[in-house]
Amino acid sequence: MSDQAAPAVSAPPASGPGARDGRTARRPLALRLLARPEVGVLLGAVAVFVFFFAMAPAFRSGSAMATVLYQSSTIGIMALPVALLMIGGEFDLSAGVGVITSALTASMVSFQLTMNVWVGVLVALVLSLAIGAFNGWMMVRTGLPSFLVTLGTFLGLQGINLAVTKLVTGNVATDDISDMDGFTQAKALFSSSFTVGGVQFKVTVLWWLLFAALATWVLLRTRYGNWIFAVGGNKDSARAVGVPVKFTKISLFMLVGFGAWFVGMHQLFAFNTVQSGEGVGQELIYIAAAVIGGCLLTGGHGSAIGPVFGAFMFGMVSQGIVYAGWNPDWFKAFLGVMLIGATLINLWVQKSATRR
Amino acid sequence: MDRTFHPRRSRRLVPLVALAAASALLVAGCSSSSGGKKSEESSSGAAAGKADTPRMTVAMVTHQGSGDTFWDIVRKGAEAAAAKDNIKLVYSNDPSAGNQANLVQNAIDQKVDGIAVTLAKPDAMKEVLGKATAAGIPVVGLNSGVDDWKKLGLMEFFGQEEGVAGEAFGKKLDEVGAKNVVCVIHEQGNIGLTQRCDGVKKTFGGKTQTLYVNGTDMPSVKSTVTAKLKQDSSIDYVVTLGAPFAMTAVQSVADAGSKAKIATFDLNKELTGAIKKGDIQFAVDQQPYLQGYLAVDSLWLYKNNGNYSGGGEQPVLTGPAFVDKSNVDSVAAFAAKGTR
């Protein structure tokens, strides 16, 4: 790697357009690429892909890829706002049950009031944004760590999901809303499929990529994106240069609320009913996808495209084990080992890329 | 800061008012003409008069995790019996064995007139149940622990043997001509669920495979079952161990383009519809309502008439009862009320 920089030093200064001064020598393109937060995870994902492609014959078909992408998309849509929040220096433990809260709300509002399901969908959106706003407001107002605030919200929502569902429906699951007005349109938006080359893909995959593109643009090209990096890097200096720290943090939590709403609506319109006990533990998977995707737990560093690969890797590992037909008793153990392995590859790539 | 604050506040009111107005319009104009609460038939509970015996207190302590449709039905049965027998029912639950034992201790401290308990982890309950017996409180078992209730000094037991249910399931699979079955466990490490699959394996003549899925995440359940069906295209029956997972498996089969049929343990109201439509072939039902009802009612009978079912020797079996296309109509009405 140094052999490329060496001739540049001996070359006469400013002798032509290709010449470089040794002090400002640009590091080779490959190294510069490797230093980006998402490249490590991309290589990890490629490694996992190649591994399962070789090990599991069933993994090689287009429809298997559609299944993997579907699983990845439901994790990935949530991993995006979770990652942005993490770049902004905070995280949200209530994200997993928040998804179910949103789905339960939409279902119960429509069913109990016998309304068009879109009414429920909108009420759920307002509620999800409000939960995010509450988390953010509570945090900036009290100065408590986001771990504590969102742990409280997590436990609270878990209890409310169960108790309110039981109170309203008399059961622990919501009623089937598939025969109600507006269901078909809502299903088309949140949970339909489309065919490409004879393979059926779920629409969530498109939404996932669209949101990822949007998040990347916001992060890299807008003032708001700068604010996110600033508040995650150093809150006080950010405030000193005029970044609206409180607004940025609260809005990031609301963004997580939006993600929870979207995934919640997908679940509702894909499965018609929602069980109130679901969602627990999912928050850690979202956070894992973001971390694998190169977002630092301490904030200030990361990307929006990294978590896309993080979620994709999670989907590949969890489905790949099944495609490979391995002894299912070891399922979780395989998952853990592969994830740590992939994260290490990610780490190693970044380290060797930024060493010089 | 403060000077600019007030005008901003009034400006903030505008979107709020707009939102309120919009919601009012929505509520007025967006009623659904089909489905919903209005179409749900008004259902009355199975109230059969009320006993005039002195009020007694019964504690029911189960290993239910939160939000499971199965336990909801058990509890409804227990509540129906309590209402009829003039009993105050104290229901509590915790999936961790140690916490469940604490809840039994709590019931003993309250000096209740009877305890109904599940024995998912019998060893952990041994000591505290000894204390209950020593305190002279009659204890009955329900749901799980069919092998241990007598050893632990319980008076009666109501439930189904999970292994026996699994074996009956396996025989039924042979009858319908299944060859290669995948048994979907939605909670890795749950003994009762494992026993069901083991029972299926024992009597079923064909090949049985096990598949673990993450039961708290439906999209993941769906894609994992789809993946399995694609990995092994000779699978011709998917066996799920809970009603909501069977409903999801229907979508997995469609997604995978598989010809596999679906059968399941346990019922709920959506499932009866799916059996009617032919999406799901059959369900084995352990009648959870009956378990809850009989457990509470038996404590009332014991206190007021000295009866005990099974003579203290034999368990009272509440299952396995099969529900398929031939008898689903008679069950569907009860399932719609959430009691079957």
Side-chain angles (χ1 to χ4, degrees):
Chain A
M1 294 163 194
S2 57
D3 55 349
Q4 218 174 342
V9 178
S10 60
S15 70
R20 281 171 274 166
D21 184 331
R23 287 166 299 173
T24 57
R26 299 187 69 186
R27 296 181 315 117
L29 179 70
L31 277 190
R32 273 183 290 132
L33 268 181
L34 284 179
R36 290 218 40 87
E38 59 272 7
V39 173
V41 65
L42 173 64
L43 292 184
V46 168
V48 170
F49 181 84
V50 168
F51 179 75
F52 281 115
F53 198 86
M55 297 293 290
F59 189 76
R60 291 168 204 160
S61 73
S63 61
M65 198 33 59
T67 307
V68 167
L69 280 175
Y70 169 59
Q71 157 109 72
S72 312
S73 69
T74 58
I75 296 169
I77 292 176
M78 263 314 258
L80 278 172
V82 166
L84 292 190
L85 180 67
M86 206 178 276
I87 297 171
E90 309 292 339
F91 58 94
D92 188 347
L93 292 178
S94 68
V97 288
V99 169
I100 303 302
T101 304
S102 207
L104 289 170
T105 307
S107 172
M108 284 192 288
V109 165
S110 330
F111 187 87
Q112 298 298 325
L113 305 175
T114 319
M115 287 285 166
N116 189 303
V117 295
W118 284 101
V119 178
V121 170
L122 288 179
V123 173
L125 174 61
V126 172
L127 184 85
S128 285
L129 292 176
I131 292 171
F134 171 81
N135 277 335
W137 174 80
M138 196 71 180
M139 204 204 68
V140 297
R141 190 69 200 257
T142 60
L144 288 172
S146 54
F147 181 91
L148 269 182
V149 171
T150 59
L151 181 64
T153 319
F154 164 55
L155 294 173
L157 286 182
Q158 199 186 344
I160 290 170
N161 282 356
L162 181 62
V164 172
T165 309
K166 186 76 196 267
L167 204 67
V168 171
T169 68
N171 299 300
V172 291
T174 63
D175 299 275
D176 189 345
I177 59 162
S178 60
D179 57 348
M180 296 183 67
D181 288 358
F183 185 89
T184 345
Q185 297 111 289
K187 192 178 172 86
L189 182 67
F190 293 109
S191 173
S192 55
S193 314
F194 60 96
T195 312
V196 177
V199 180
Q200 262 209 340
F201 289 91
K202 296 275 183 248
V203 73
T204 46
V205 178
L206 282 187
W207 284 116
W208 176 38
L209 299 178
L210 179 74
F211 288 149
L214 203 64
T216 304
W217 177 75
V218 166
L219 212 47
L220 300 180
R221 291 274 176 272
T222 67
R223 195 161 57 144
Y224 183 69
N226 281 335
W227 290 351
I228 297 177
F229 280 109
V231 298
N234 188 329
K235 203 169 59 177
D236 297 322
S237 7
R239 186 178 290 118
V241 296
V243 172
V245 174
K246 287 183 180 177
F247 166 80
T248 308
K249 294 222 168 185
I250 294 177
S251 60
L252 282 173
F253 274 104
M254 289 176 75
L255 211 57
V256 175
F258 177 83
W261 168 76
F262 197 91
V263 177
M265 291 310 102
H266 165 69
Q267 286 219 30
L268 176 60
F269 293 107
F271 303 107
N272 308 343
T273 62
V274 192
Q275 292 187 90
S276 53
E278 280 180 56
V280 178
Q282 285 303 105
E283 63 284 343
L284 295 179
I285 291 175
Y286 303 141
I287 292 173
V291 172
I292 293 169
C295 295
L296 289 187
L297 273 170
T298 46
H301 181 81
S303 70
I305 202 76
V308 171
F309 293 123
F312 181 51
M313 198 146 87
F314 210 95
M316 273 196 295
V317 173
S318 55
Q319 302 310 315
I321 289 165
V322 179
Y323 282 121
W326 290 341
N327 181 353
D329 290 347
W330 291 91
F331 182 77
K332 290 261 170 76
F334 281 135
L335 202 63
V337 168
M338 297 223 52
L339 284 180
I340 291 181
T343 316
L344 283 178
I345 293 182
N346 182 3
L347 199 72
W348 173 77
V349 165
Q350 279 205 30
K351 262 197 183 152
S352 51
T354 50
R355 197 181 295 139
R356 294 189 58 90
Chain B
M1 270 298 206
D2 212 18
R3 270 171 295 149
T4 56
F5 193 62
H6 295 289
R8 277 182 73 185
R9 170 174 277 182
S10 61
R11 247 190 293 152
R12 274 191 197 156
L13 269 177
V14 176
L16 272 182
V17 171
L19 185 70
S23 352
L25 279 174
L26 277 174
V27 168
C30 290
S31 296
S32 175
S33 56
S34 61
K37 186 80 173 172
K38 275 183 191 160
S39 74
E40 193 182 51
E41 45 185 30
S42 60
S43 57
S44 54
K50 197 173 172 180
D52 56 358
T53 48
R55 187 131 175 108
M56 62 187 275
T57 305
V58 166
M60 180 174 277
V61 186
T62 74
H63 64 277
Q64 172 198 355
S66 56
D68 184 332
T69 51
F70 178 89
W71 288 101
D72 211 27
I73 305 176
V74 172
R75 196 168 163 187
K76 278 186 181 160
E79 276 162 0
K84 186 202 69 172
D85 293 338
N86 193 22
I87 287 174
K88 182 187 169 204
L89 180 74
V90 185
Y91 182 89
S92 55
N93 62 292
D94 201 304
S96 113
N99 292 345
Q100 200 197 347
N102 277 343
L103 290 171
V104 173
Q105 181 61 51
N106 187 314
I108 298 170
D109 298 340
Q110 289 179 50
K111 300 195 169 61
V112 295
D113 301 291
I115 297 174
V117 69
T118 63
L119 304 173
K121 305 207 172 88
D123 293 337
M125 306 298 285
K126 193 171 178 176
E127 192 187 323
V128 75
L129 289 176
K131 281 190 203 162
T133 319
I137 300 174
V139 183
V140 299
L142 72 147
N143 182 258
S144 42
V146 71
D147 299 324
D148 300 276
W149 64 278
K150 231 189 293 180
K151 264 185 283 178
L152 297 182
L154 266 55
M155 210 169 59
E156 306 160 70
F157 183 85
F158 307 91
Q160 95 177 336
E161 219 279 275
E162 299 292 12
V164 169
E167 287 168 27
F169 204 104
K171 282 180 200 154
K172 182 93 176 174
L173 285 172
D174 273 333
E175 273 173 41
V176 297
K179 296 278 179 289
N180 185 359
V181 161
V182 62
C183 195
V184 182
I185 294 185
H186 54 264
E187 195 187 324
Q188 196 168 3
N190 180 317
I191 295 168
L193 299 182
T194 313
Q195 283 172 339
R196 287 179 176 180
C197 284
D198 289 347
V200 171
K201 209 172 277 181
K202 199 165 158 189
T203 52
F204 175 54
K207 183 181 171 196
T208 312
Q209 314 178 52
T210 311
L211 177 70
Y212 293 105
V213 296
N214 176 7
T216 60
D217 181 24
M218 267 312 171
S220 150
V221 172
K222 180 168 148 186
S223 32
T224 307
V225 175
T226 308
K228 183 69 198 175
L229 289 170
K230 281 181 195 154
Q231 184 254 327
D232 185 348
S233 54
S234 66
I235 290 171
D236 57 357
Y237 254 88
V238 178
V239 175
T240 58
L241 306 183
F245 307 103
M247 300 302 295
T248 302
V250 174
Q251 298 190 16
S252 300
V253 167
D255 278 1
S258 157
K259 293 206 162 45
K261 292 174 171 171
I262 296 152
T264 185
F265 287 79
D266 298 340
L267 267 186
N268 69 16
K269 59 179 170 181
E270 274 78 36
L271 196 88
T272 53
I275 291 179
K276 265 189 215 170
K277 272 202 287 180
D279 286 343
I280 288 169
Q281 305 304 310
F282 62 88
V284 61
D285 184 17
Q286 60 172 312
Q287 307 192 82
Y289 186 86
L290 195 57
Q291 291 176 1
Y293 187 93
L294 290 180
V296 171
D297 203 35
S298 70
L299 288 163
W300 179 81
L301 278 168
Y302 179 73
K303 178 155 177 135
N304 291 291
N305 204 36
N307 295 125
Y308 38 101
S309 310
E313 289 296 320
Q314 294 297 321
V316 179
L317 296 183
T318 59
F322 280 95
V323 178
D324 58 19
K325 219 164 188 171
S326 66
N327 65 349
V328 66
D329 287 329
S330 62
V331 174
F334 304 117
K337 287 194 290 181
T339 58
R340 189 63 207 274

